[in-house]
Each structure stands twice: as C-alpha cells, then as structure tokens.
Amino acid sequence: MRTRDINKETIIREKAIEMIVDHGFEGLSMHKLAKAAGVSVATIYIYFKDREDLIQQLYAEEMQKMVEATLRDFDPESHFDEGLKVQWLNRMNYCFENPYSMFFTEQVKHSPLVDRSNIDTRFLNAMHRFVHRAIERNEIIPLPVEIYWSIAFAPLYQLVKFHIAKSSMPGRPPFNLDESKINLALSLVIKALKP
C-alpha cells in the first residue's frame, strides 16, 4: 500500500477547490484533478474514496476553517452591535484571505452532494446564544433565522464579492471595501434589525 504524502494531499485539495470554483462540479473529474495536481489518479484514491467523498471532505474542512475564523474573539454575550461587528470583520477577513474557500463553500452548500447538518455545534450554540440574548435585551427584533441571516450577513457577503472581484455595478469603478464602507453598511444592517 502506498503511503500518504501531506504535500500531495494538500495540492490535491487546493486544485480540487480551484477546479470547482472555476469550472463547476462538471469541471471536476479525478483524471483532470490528477493532471492539475501533478499526481496519478491512483494517488487521489489514497486520500478519497471517490469524487463525492472528496467534495464532502473538502466542504467539511473548509467550513471548519470558516467556523474557527468566525468565532475568533467573538463573545456570544456581547452587545449585538459589537458582536455583529466582530462577526463581520472575522468573516470578511477570512474571505479576503481565502477567496477560493469562500466561493467553494458558497457553491457547495447549495448542492445535494454534502450533508450540511454536520456543522460545528460550538458555532451553532454561539450564534443561537448571541441572537437570543440580543432579543432578550431588546437589541434586535425576533425574526425567523432565514430572514435574520439574510439581513445580517447577505449584505456583507455581496460586498466581499464585489471587493474580491474588483468589480461593481455596470458603469462604476471597481469597489473597494474599506473601513468607512464597512461601518456604513453595518450601521444600516443594525438599524434594520433594531426594534
């Protein structure tokens, strides 16, 4: 049996994420991945049972990295305004540092290929406590979680996408997400969630 090589495994993972982001699921085959990673197809099967196992493992690993980054210096007991700012900055910085990971997880999480129920319970518990404490303290209005998330985080992710793509609306100069724009957008989001 062939031995595992951490460097080869890392390259395989990185190339798989790049291929999915750049070419979609259809663009990822084990043969194309082997060529892109500079390994044999048999080498890939040392680390992954099949294409679906590869995608599931990548998704779980990338989501775990995002969870760790999101929870950094975050206190679920903090005032809503402060806690949401920490969340925004953590998520934004992670996405800026890991754009392929951001686009990959965004694409995969809406796919039937992955089990999204295996998210880190620390993350779920921290977010649950944070939102419910803010509601108890009358800092935000109670909302269904989907509406809350859409108001609290979707604007951030769209602004991050504009920034990473160095694009904007048609006819506008490239968008740069700087501190003043973060503060403006965050203040509008907080205002929308207030009682």
Side-chain angles (χ1 to χ4, degrees):
M1 181 174 171
R2 295 171 63 184
T3 59
R4 296 171 75 93
D5 179 332
I6 192 71
N7 295 326
K8 286 182 181 177
E9 185 177 5
T10 300
I11 291 169
I12 291 166
R13 289 175 180 275
E14 289 172 358
K15 292 298 178 186
I17 289 171
E18 289 174 18
M19 291 175 75
I20 290 171
V21 169
D22 292 342
H23 307 290
F25 294 118
E26 307 79 37
L28 177 68
S29 72
M30 295 306 220
H31 289 283
K32 289 178 184 176
L33 176 57
K35 185 175 180 179
V39 299
S40 71
V41 173
T43 299
I44 296 173
Y45 288 105
I46 293 171
Y47 308 102
F48 309 99
K49 291 185 288 190
D50 54 30
R51 182 175 171 268
E52 287 71 27
D53 180 52
L54 167 66
I55 293 169
Q56 291 170 4
Q57 283 191 45
L58 289 175
Y59 181 74
E61 182 179 284
E62 295 306 309
M63 285 303 297
Q64 188 58 42
K65 290 177 190 175
M66 176 67 160
V67 163
E68 294 298 329
T70 300
L71 292 178
R72 188 175 304 122
D73 300 322
F74 172 68
D75 179 4
E77 298 295 328
S78 65
H79 186 279
F80 182 77
D81 298 13
E82 291 304 312
L84 190 62
K85 185 170 188 173
V86 170
Q87 286 285 299
W88 268 46
L89 294 175
N90 284 350
R91 291 168 189 246
M92 180 190 73
N93 290 328
Y94 180 80
C95 292
F96 285 175
E97 293 166 10
N98 304 279
Y100 269 104
S101 178
M102 180 197 75
F103 287 115
F104 170 77
T105 55
E106 187 71 18
Q107 188 170 353
V108 175
K109 76 178 171 184
H110 300 293
S111 161
L113 294 174
V114 296
D115 177 9
R116 292 176 300 283
S117 66
N118 291 333
I119 193 161
D120 188 325
T121 56
R122 291 176 310 131
F123 176 77
L124 293 176
N125 292 340
M127 294 303 108
H128 178 82
R129 191 163 70 240
F130 174 62
V131 170
H132 285 275
R133 291 287 292 136
I135 292 168
E136 289 169 6
R137 294 188 302 248
N138 203 34
E139 295 166 356
I140 62 172
I141 57 174
L143 293 168
V145 68
E146 298 82 2
I147 295 172
Y148 165 77
W149 190 94
S150 295
I151 295 169
F153 297 109
L156 168 67
Y157 286 113
Q158 186 56 57
L159 295 172
V160 165
K161 289 175 189 176
F162 279 137
H163 179 89
I164 289 172
K166 295 178 180 25
S167 67
S168 183
M169 303 304 288
R172 304 264 310 141
F175 181 77
N176 181 40
L177 188 54
D178 59 25
E179 187 175 356
S180 67
K181 291 177 184 135
I182 293 165
N183 289 335
L184 174 60
L186 183 59
S187 70
L188 294 170
V189 165
I190 290 170
K191 184 177 178 181
L193 294 167
K194 291 286 182 190

